[in-house]
Amino acid sequence: MGKKIFSGVQPTGNLHLGNYLGAIKNFVALNNDKENQCVFCVVDLHAITVKQDPRELRNNIRKIVAIFVASGIDPKKSIIFKQSTVPAHAEFAWILSCIARMGWLNRMTQFKEKAGKDKEKASVGLYSYPILMAADILLYEASHVPVGEDQKQHLELCRDIAQKFNNDFEVENFLKNPEPLILKEFSRIMSLKDGTKKMSKSEPSDLSRINLTDDKDSIINKIKKAKTDSLPLPSNSRDLEQRPEAKNLLGIYSSLNNSTLDKTIQTFEGKNFSEFKEKLTQVLVEKIDPISKEIKKLMNEKDFLDKIIEEGHEKADNIASKKVKKIHEIIGF
Ligand code: AMP
Ligand code: TRP
């Protein structure tokens, strides 16, 4: 039987290789399986949990749609839509915020990371962010949620919230328990400048990441400047434990080639970084440059992108508003 897939991506800044290998590449594979029903959401309500410039936000929303399509998600097969166009998300998030407990949210590590030292100054939305994420997933009765490793805790919270709702209202299995779909091997792509830090949109140095909109020359330059160590490449994965940069680069190569880390290690055993980097650059340019060109082309076709958002809205709203109607009945509204 096919899976019911739901995932979301925030329209904040440029997407990078971490987003692609950790999430979007998986979306494309799920989209390509005929049995699956996929819903991919541009989560603009999540984006405003930190301050956004309205003009940039509008542009970034279209950019995520362009990235989805350029990466290979077919809007005829999968639903692509914008979260704020379906009012059920915000409404159900409120309802679920009356189900979720403070103690549960207080454990969320992403809030602690994002809020930083001055928690008092973080928005209330940033704190309740995982509840909105739970609402997204549960409205569409998703069976599987493809995300990167960093979202695992939010998925667990979503399951706890669903269970409490079902228990409180004695509606067994009304909210469906979603399974996370996290790639085993390459679910955390690290910074090119520091193999112990996650590749991230918010890192100030652009040299730390490959953006999906980078052209060939920037890819070449960034890999040339990527941090390495002075040893030749090892013959087994145990020897990578203390070598985070080598491990990350070999992982990126493996994932782009749909191969395993062990196979890549065999190929490059004993070689030095300059030879490996040449091959890595080659495969990066081969995979990322066509996507980058397509994104740029699509960004000039605003009407086409807006039409995808409009058509996605109708389909998504249809599913979500039916679920909300049942929720109202259950609650006693
Ligand atoms: P975000 O840009 O935070 O909305 O993330 C979109 C998706 O990309 C989520 O599923 C994240 O888990 C995933 N992701 C973000 N950064 C990385 C990374 N460095 N490695 C792997 N996956 C990532
Ligand atoms: N929180 C996710 C992230 O930062 C984005 C997201 C919002 C999401 N709603 C979702 C992911 C629902 C999966 C399912 O990456």
Side-chain angles (χ1 to χ4, degrees), residues 143-162:
S143 63
H144 293 82
V145 180
V147 281
E149 170 73 28
D150 58 349
Q151 296 301 313
K152 196 169 165 207
Q153 197 185 30
H154 291 163
L155 257 290
E156 281 158 11
L157 180 79
C158 173
R159 291 164 64 99
D160 290 343
I161 294 175

Side-chain angles (χ1 to χ4, degrees), residues 6-10 43 46 83 110 114 129 132-133 136-137 145-147 150-151 154-155:
F6 187 98
S7 196
V9 177
Q10 295 196 61
V43 292
H46 279 102
Q83 192 184 28
Q110 184 170 301
K114 286 198 179 171
Y129 174 117
L132 177 59
M133 179 165 163
D136 297 343
I137 295 166
V145 180
V147 281
D150 58 349
Q151 296 301 313
H154 291 163
L155 257 290

Side-chain angles (χ1 to χ4, degrees), residues 4 15 31 40 43 47 80 92 94 112 133 173 210 212 231 246 256 277 293 306 308 328:
K4 275 189 170 178
L15 289 203
N31 164 88
F40 299 114
V43 292
I80 296 175
F92 192 35
W94 172 258
K112 289 178 196 159
M133 179 165 163
N173 210 24
I210 307 270
L212 290 180
L231 300 171
L256 286 166
K277 276 188 168 181
K293 289 202 172 101
D306 289 347
I308 292 175
H328 278 212

Side-chain angles (χ1 to χ4, degrees), residues 61 66 76 78 86 100 103 141 200 209 233 247 257 306 327 332:
I61 291 168
K76 294 230 152 47
S78 297
V86 177
E141 304 186 343
S200 152
R209 64 185 160 258
L233 288 162
K247 185 174 178 193
N257 273 319
D306 289 347
I327 292 164

